[in-house]
């Protein structure tokens, strides 16, 4: 992994959090074009990062302590119904 790739990974990590918030949790329901404009990414990049974000949340769900499972299940159901 070279320096440029590491920088892209760091940038993408922040974009994934933005995607999760803007797509699933934020108060504003944005049209697809507006979402891409605000994130400043292509549709292809958006879908790739969104898939990665959902996979990360699913892994966190299965590794969560028993007391936190209900809140993670709620988040996962929101994502699946989107």
């Amino acid at each position: 992994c070279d320096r440029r790739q590491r920088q892209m990974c760091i940038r993408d990590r922040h974009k994934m959090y933005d995607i999760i918030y803007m797509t699933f949790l934020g108060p504003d329901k944005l049209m697809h074009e507006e979402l891409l404009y605000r994130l400043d990414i292509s549709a292809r990049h958006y879908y790739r990062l969104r898939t990665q974000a959902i996979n990360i949340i699913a892994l966190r769900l299965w590794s969560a302590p028993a007391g936190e499972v209900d809140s993670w299940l709620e988040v996962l159901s929101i994502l699946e119904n989107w």
Side-chain angles (χ1 to χ4, degrees):
C1 200
D2 66 9
R3 181 178 172 200
R4 183 176 163 265
Q5 287 173 322
R6 282 193 304 273
Q7 289 173 338
M8 288 175 57
C9 290
I10 292 168
R11 184 197 68 214
D12 285 353
R13 187 177 317 135
H14 293 290
K15 291 275 187 190
M16 279 194 289
Y17 293 120
D18 291 340
I19 286 171
I20 291 169
Y21 180 77
M22 288 183 183
T23 304
F24 304 111
L25 304 173
D28 299 329
K29 295 301 175 198
L30 304 173
M31 299 297 293
H32 185 73
E33 294 80 18
E34 178 66 18
L35 187 62
L36 296 178
Y37 176 77
R38 287 190 185 185
L39 293 168
D40 191 29
I41 58 175
S42 68
R44 182 177 178 184
H45 195 188
Y46 167 78
Y47 286 113
R48 183 177 61 79
L49 291 177
R50 188 182 79 164
T51 300
Q52 289 177 359
I54 291 171
N55 289 337
I56 289 169
I57 290 172
L59 286 171
R60 299 255 178 165
L61 169 67
W62 297 117
S63 64
E68 298 176 13
V69 170
D70 288 338
S71 60
W72 279 108
L73 283 173
E74 183 179 337
V75 170
L76 190 59
S77 68
I78 290 169
L79 295 176
E80 287 176 340
N81 290 328
W82 182 260

